[in-house]
Amino acid sequence: MNMRKWWPYFAIGGAAVVVMLAYPAYFNWWDHKNCSDSGGTWNETRDECVEPKNAKFESSGSPAFEDDNQTAK
């Protein structure tokens, strides 16, 4: 059996396996990180972030973006 014909299939299959394992793990980590950064706690039973009561989320846009979209009235 000539394995040179099969290497692209093995490479694509290997990449697909890595993506299928890494994708959920990465986004699980990302959700937990964002939850802790916002001051919340992760509820494992509901699988969601519980934000503190009366939490205020303040964000400012990108200064360059804000300046570009200001129109003189």
Side-chain angles (χ1 to χ4, degrees), residues 46-62:
R46 294 189 331 203
D47 197 30
E48 67 180 13
C49 184
V50 179
E51 300 291 347
K53 293 185 184 215
N54 300 324
K56 290 184 179 179
F57 300 103
E58 298 177 12
S59 64
S60 60
S62 169

Side-chain angles (χ1 to χ4, degrees), residues 2-55:
N2 187 358
M3 294 303 285
R4 287 186 173 206
K5 288 186 200 177
W6 290 94
W7 78 266
Y9 299 108
F10 290 136
I12 292 169
V17 168
V18 168
V19 167
M20 288 188 324
L21 294 175
Y23 185 81
Y26 174 75
F27 281 103
N28 186 28
W29 168 81
W30 186 260
D31 288 342
H32 284 72
K33 177 187 174 300
N34 284 338
C35 184
S36 64
D37 286 351
S38 68
T41 55
W42 191 261
N43 186 334
E44 291 293 337
T45 57
R46 294 189 331 203
D47 197 30
E48 67 180 13
C49 184
V50 179
E51 300 291 347
K53 293 185 184 215
N54 300 324

